[in-house]
Amino acid sequence: MPLERHKPPPRERTFAELFPWRNIRRALMLVLLIVAIVVIKRSTSSLLARVGEMWGPSSRPPPSSAGPSSPRGAGVDRQIRLGPGLTPRPSPTDLR
């Protein structure tokens, strides 16, 4: 039987050796990236708003070129006038 060599006991590792530094670095980089995005967004908000107005849908209604002839433009009340046989019969509760 061969003689077994005596192995020294494993050395105890310190807290700094056991701590997951790689995960802390990743989390710190993620936080810094989020902060950088927020800072860039705030500093360029006016530029982004102008770009959004240029490329996005218009929030203003299109200008009407009809002018006063439009039904709502000049306050003209337009009604559809039907012939005498095509008008609906007024109901008894209709007080017009």
Side-chain angles (χ1 to χ4, degrees), residues 12-13 16 30 33 35 37 41-43 45 48 51 63-64 66 70-71 76 78 82 85 89 92 95-96:
E12 288 186 22
R13 298 193 305 178
L30 181 64
L33 181 66
V35 168
I37 290 171
K41 186 177 180 299
R42 285 191 181 200
S43 65
S45 63
L48 291 175
V51 169
S64 63
S70 68
V76 176
R78 293 194 174 237
L82 301 174
R89 295 183 183 165
L95 301 174
R96 282 195 251 174

Side-chain angles (χ1 to χ4, degrees), residues 2-96:
L3 294 173
E4 293 184 21
R5 292 190 178 186
H6 179 66
K7 293 182 182 178
R11 182 177 70 89
E12 288 186 22
R13 298 193 305 178
T14 63
F15 175 76
E17 292 173 340
L18 293 173
F19 195 78
W21 293 108
R22 182 181 301 175
N23 294 341
I24 295 297
R25 281 183 284 189
R26 287 180 182 168
L28 206 62
M29 288 299 291
L30 181 64
V31 168
L32 289 175
L33 181 66
I34 292 172
V35 168
I37 290 171
V38 168
V39 167
I40 290 170
K41 186 177 180 299
R42 285 191 181 200
S43 65
T44 61
S45 63
S46 62
L47 173 68
L48 291 175
R50 278 185 273 152
V51 169
E53 287 176 4
M54 286 173 33
W55 293 99
S58 176
S59 61
R60 290 177 272 155
S64 63
S65 61
S69 64
S70 68
R72 296 183 185 179
V76 176
D77 186 24
R78 293 194 174 237
Q79 295 179 355
I80 298 175
R81 303 201 193 285
L82 301 174
L86 300 175
T87 57
R89 295 183 183 165
S91 66
T93 58
D94 193 3
L95 301 174
R96 282 195 251 174

